Amino acid sequence: MALRVTQNMLNSNMLRNLHKSMLNMDKMQQQLASGRKINLPSDDPVVATRGMFYRSSQMENDQYKRNASEAMSWMDLTDKTLDEVGNVMKRVSELLVYSGNGATSPDDLKTMGAEIAELKKHLGTLANQTINGKYIFAGTETDKAPYDENANGGKGDFINKNSSEVLLELSQNVFAAANINAQKIFNYPDNAGNMFKVLDNIIEELNNGRSAAQFQDEISQQYDNLLAERATLGARVNRIELIGERLNVQEVNIKELMSKNEDADIAEVITNLKTQEGVHRSALGAGARIIQPTLLDFLR
């Protein structure tokens, strides 16, 4: 049975095809304007899904970079603080050598004792160093000052006993400690014989007008231990720097994958748009032929 084709059918098909052609041109114009292959998830669900995955990976990588930066800030401040602690130890060692000079008067020894007392106060300030309001030598008890100037009968002492690590995630399931174990520095070799207690003994001897040169070995041990801990910290800093470089490389790779997945090939889009414009003009020409003269045109 033959199908009767009417003028309305021809007109409807022509309008539908013209509408489809205009939709294709609109899609290409949007790609050209936005520079992206898709503007809605429905344009290509596969590309959209991959884009979500890449963006999630980029957000994670950005957070890892922030964690690495925070860890570096902690370690940089820790190293600078320990450097100052080392300077205090060296100055105390110099004063101990001077105190062993037989020509040094009792008044001079008392003056040295006063200076070392001030150095001890400065050492307590260094032990209470903070970053963003957190004590860096307090283990995980970052809200409590590890050094109390009223402890030990008002002489001041390092009272913190927390040796836990402040861990930051620098990559998936890769953690690194941002802090150091301050017990190995300020409570070395133990709380009863730590650097503050040694300084108290030195100050007492000097205030009594006696030489404190006999404490040189203890101060040397404290200083050598400090250098060993700084070396360990330096090795950790090197590791964090390597992780930071790897995160930067990952960021570039993720952005490259995102670009390949989402960015439109502008040259290809322009070529396709021009081709579609030609198709559209041809469709308009064909449509003009489809609209035939009516019966009224023959009644003139």
Side-chain angles (χ1 to χ4, degrees):
M1 179 179 176
L3 180 65
R4 181 172 178 268
V5 179
T6 66
Q7 185 66 41
N8 285 335
M9 293 174 61
L10 293 175
N11 293 342
S12 297
N13 288 334
M14 179 195 70
L15 291 174
R16 183 172 61 253
N17 291 329
L18 287 176
H19 180 66
K20 183 178 179 181
S21 177
M22 292 177 68
L23 284 177
N24 289 335
M25 283 197 300
D26 179 65
K27 179 180 179 180
M28 294 175 190
Q29 287 172 347
Q30 287 183 356
Q31 290 179 354
L32 192 60
S34 64
R36 296 183 178 276
K37 294 178 182 178
I38 64 172
N39 290 283
L40 296 173
S42 58
D43 293 341
D44 191 329
V46 175
V47 172
T49 302
R50 288 178 179 173
M52 293 173 61
F53 171 76
Y54 293 142
R55 278 177 171 75
S56 177
S57 298
Q58 185 178 24
M59 292 175 62
E60 290 179 0
N61 194 74
D62 289 342
Q63 183 60 55
Y64 291 145
K65 288 179 63 178
R66 286 191 290 270
N67 290 350
S69 177
E70 182 178 356
M72 284 299 300
S73 297
W74 274 64
M75 293 181 180
D76 286 343
L77 182 59
T78 300
D79 187 62
K80 292 177 182 177
T81 303
L82 295 183
D83 183 58
E84 286 193 52
V85 173
N87 291 335
V88 170
M89 292 292 101
K90 287 190 288 186
R91 178 56 182 166
V92 170
S93 181
E94 292 175 1
L95 292 174
L96 292 181
V97 173
Y98 295 154
S99 72
N101 190 333
T104 304
S105 67
D107 290 338
D108 291 337
L109 294 174
K110 292 179 181 179
T111 300
M112 293 179 188
E115 182 178 350
I116 293 179
E118 293 300 320
L119 290 174
K120 182 191 172 186
K121 291 181 181 179
H122 180 60
L123 199 61
T125 302
L126 295 176
N128 283 340
Q129 183 66 263
T130 62
I131 181 171
N132 297 327
K134 299 178 180 179
Y135 293 98
I136 64 176
F137 295 118
T140 53
E141 297 177 357
T142 56
D143 58 337
K144 299 178 182 178
Y147 179 83
D148 185 1
E149 60 182 9
N150 297 317
N152 193 23
K155 295 180 181 180
D157 196 10
F158 194 82
I159 61 173
N160 181 274
K161 304 296 182 183
N162 191 308
S163 59
S164 301
E165 296 179 331
V166 178
L167 296 176
L168 294 175
E169 189 172 9
L170 304 183
S171 187
Q172 188 172 6
N173 297 324
V174 176
F175 295 86
N179 65 331
I180 63 171
N181 186 356
Q183 305 301 317
K184 295 182 179 180
I185 296 176
F186 296 105
N187 268 339
Y188 173 81
D190 51 44
N191 183 258
N194 65 19
M195 60 177 63
F196 296 102
K197 298 285 186 13
V198 174
L199 292 178
D200 287 337
N201 294 334
I202 293 173
I203 293 169
E204 182 178 1
E205 288 295 308
L206 293 175
N207 287 342
N208 290 327
R210 296 190 294 267
S211 170
Q214 65 272 23
F215 294 100
Q216 288 186 48
D217 289 342
E218 293 184 50
I219 292 297
S220 295
Q221 291 175 5
Q222 293 286 343
Y223 185 71
D224 292 341
N225 175 70
L226 178 66
L227 292 180
E229 292 301 320
R230 285 191 68 187
T232 302
L233 177 63
R236 195 185 303 173
V237 169
N238 291 336
R239 182 195 174 204
I240 302 299
E241 288 178 346
L242 291 174
I243 293 177
E245 292 176 2
R246 180 167 56 82
L247 291 174
N248 290 332
V249 173
Q250 286 182 349
E251 181 180 17
V252 174
N253 291 337
I254 292 173
K255 289 183 177 180
E256 183 178 353
L257 290 172
M258 287 178 59
S259 177
K260 290 180 178 179
N261 181 64
E262 299 178 2
D263 292 351
D265 186 338
I266 301 302
E268 181 180 359
V269 172
I270 292 175
T271 302
N272 292 337
L273 179 59
K274 297 302 291 184
T275 301
Q276 188 61 41
E277 287 177 351
V279 172
H280 188 68
R281 283 195 296 268
S282 299
L284 289 173
R289 293 181 178 86
I290 289 174
I291 303 176
Q292 299 295 330
T294 66
L295 181 60
L296 294 176
D297 294 316
F298 294 96
L299 296 178
R300 296 176 183 172

